[in-house]
Amino acid sequence: MTNNSLRNSARILGAALRALLVLTVVCGVVYPLAVTGVAQALFHDKANGSEVTYRGAVVGSELIGQRYDLPLKQGQKTPDPDLRWFQPRPANGLGTNSVNTQYKLILSGATNRSGDNKELIARVRDAKAAVVRDNSTAGYRVDPSDVPAEAVTSSGSGLDPHVSPQYATLQAHRVAERNGLDVKRVEQLVEDHTEGRTLGFMGEPRVNVLALNIALRKLVGTG
């Protein structure tokens, strides 16, 4: 009776170990390699982070927004925007990395503040005033009512790489003036980099700020 019990236990244990081995190989080796192989073969760019290259160097990802700021001045906590370039959506209010300061991390998330939050209202008002001030030129005055919502609010992730064609066009006069370009050429650049709705009906028309600034760099000829 005892021997039969031991044999049954050994058989069950052996079957369990064989199942563990097979599942480990299939799920831990074969499946990941197959998925990785298919992704690399059919979706190489997307599988590698949708990297954007310029002159042989990776300058960012088309999926992650980035800032275009001047070097931080002494005593400043937040750098000023470099107004030669198109600016993305705001990404402030998400806090800073205080867990491991050895690394400069990109934080993602929303502020989670309600529409009647005083701090959020003040931030939006300040951002709107800055958009009007920064984008008004000698021959062009930005009407506050023309400032789109995404120009003064961060996205749900804080990393949105796109702005609306309206916000990109609003910046065209300032970008043209700062770079010594004709406004019409800059506006055409925005139009050329405006993406339509996904599948023709999902989302809204949008402009990838990184792609637009790369095209602007080529137009200006500054590297």
Side-chain angles (χ1 to χ4, degrees), residues 70-80:
L70 295 170
L72 195 66
K73 297 178 183 178
Q74 186 174 5
Q76 276 188 327
K77 292 184 177 181
T78 304
D80 295 324

Side-chain angles (χ1 to χ4, degrees), residues 52-123:
V52 177
T53 59
Y54 179 66
R55 293 195 170 184
V58 176
V59 294
S61 168
E62 64 182 32
L63 302 177
I64 300 177
Q66 56 181 278
R67 299 291 308 167
Y68 303 89
D69 294 326
L70 295 170
L72 195 66
K73 297 178 183 178
Q74 186 174 5
Q76 276 188 327
K77 292 184 177 181
T78 304
D80 295 324
D82 189 340
L83 298 179
R84 295 175 301 165
W85 308 106
F86 287 95
Q87 293 297 317
R89 296 184 66 167
N92 55 354
L94 303 181
T96 57
N97 166 37
S98 58
V99 177
N100 190 340
T101 55
Q102 180 181 354
Y103 302 99
K104 185 177 180 180
L105 302 180
I106 299 177
L107 299 181
S108 176
T111 61
N112 289 330
R113 291 183 171 88
S114 64
D116 60 353
N117 181 271
K118 293 182 179 180
E119 184 179 347
L120 177 62
I121 293 172
R123 181 177 294 133

Side-chain angles (χ1 to χ4, degrees), residues 114-137:
S114 64
D116 60 353
N117 181 271
K118 293 182 179 180
E119 184 179 347
L120 177 62
I121 293 172
R123 181 177 294 133
V124 168
R125 285 176 175 168
D126 291 344
K128 189 171 186 176
V131 169
V132 172
R133 180 185 67 247
D134 292 344
N135 291 284
S136 294
T137 65

Side-chain angles (χ1 to χ4, degrees), residues 2-218:
T2 302
N3 290 337
N4 288 337
S5 297
L6 289 174
R7 281 196 294 270
N8 289 336
S9 298
R11 186 170 65 254
I12 293 172
L13 180 60
L17 291 175
R18 288 193 296 273
L20 175 63
L21 179 61
V22 170
L23 290 174
T24 298
V25 172
V26 172
C27 298
V29 180
V30 177
Y31 178 73
L33 288 177
V35 171
T36 301
V38 170
Q40 291 294 331
L42 300 180
F43 312 102
H44 180 75
D45 292 338
K46 290 181 173 58
N48 289 287
S50 299
E51 294 176 338
V52 177
T53 59
Y54 179 66
R55 293 195 170 184
V58 176
V59 294
S61 168
E62 64 182 32
L63 302 177
I64 300 177
Q66 56 181 278
R67 299 291 308 167
Y68 303 89
D69 294 326
L70 295 170
L72 195 66
K73 297 178 183 178
Q74 186 174 5
Q76 276 188 327
K77 292 184 177 181
T78 304
D80 295 324
D82 189 340
L83 298 179
R84 295 175 301 165
W85 308 106
F86 287 95
Q87 293 297 317
R89 296 184 66 167
N92 55 354
L94 303 181
T96 57
N97 166 37
S98 58
V99 177
N100 190 340
T101 55
Q102 180 181 354
Y103 302 99
K104 185 177 180 180
L105 302 180
I106 299 177
L107 299 181
S108 176
T111 61
N112 289 330
R113 291 183 171 88
S114 64
D116 60 353
N117 181 271
K118 293 182 179 180
E119 184 179 347
L120 177 62
I121 293 172
R123 181 177 294 133
V124 168
R125 285 176 175 168
D126 291 344
K128 189 171 186 176
V131 169
V132 172
R133 180 185 67 247
D134 292 344
N135 291 284
S136 294
T137 65
Y140 175 75
R141 171 71 180 175
V142 175
D143 190 324
S145 64
D146 291 336
V147 177
E150 87 272 3
V152 297
T153 57
S154 61
S155 64
S157 67
L159 304 175
D160 191 349
H162 299 99
V163 295
S164 67
Q166 291 77 16
Y167 185 33
T169 301
L170 182 146
Q171 301 182 61
H173 286 78
R174 182 254 300 162
V175 170
E177 182 181 75
R178 298 276 176 156
N179 291 284
L181 298 171
D182 182 73
V183 174
K184 295 297 183 184
R185 294 188 69 186
V186 178
E187 289 177 339
Q188 185 62 50
L189 202 66
V190 172
E191 185 176 339
D192 292 342
H193 287 80
T194 298
E195 307 170 23
R197 292 179 172 85
T198 304
L199 299 179
F201 68 94
M202 291 192 296
E204 295 292 334
R206 59 201 179 276
V207 179
N208 187 287
V209 181
L210 175 57
L212 182 60
N213 277 332
I214 290 175
L216 175 63
R217 181 182 289 272
K218 293 177 182 177

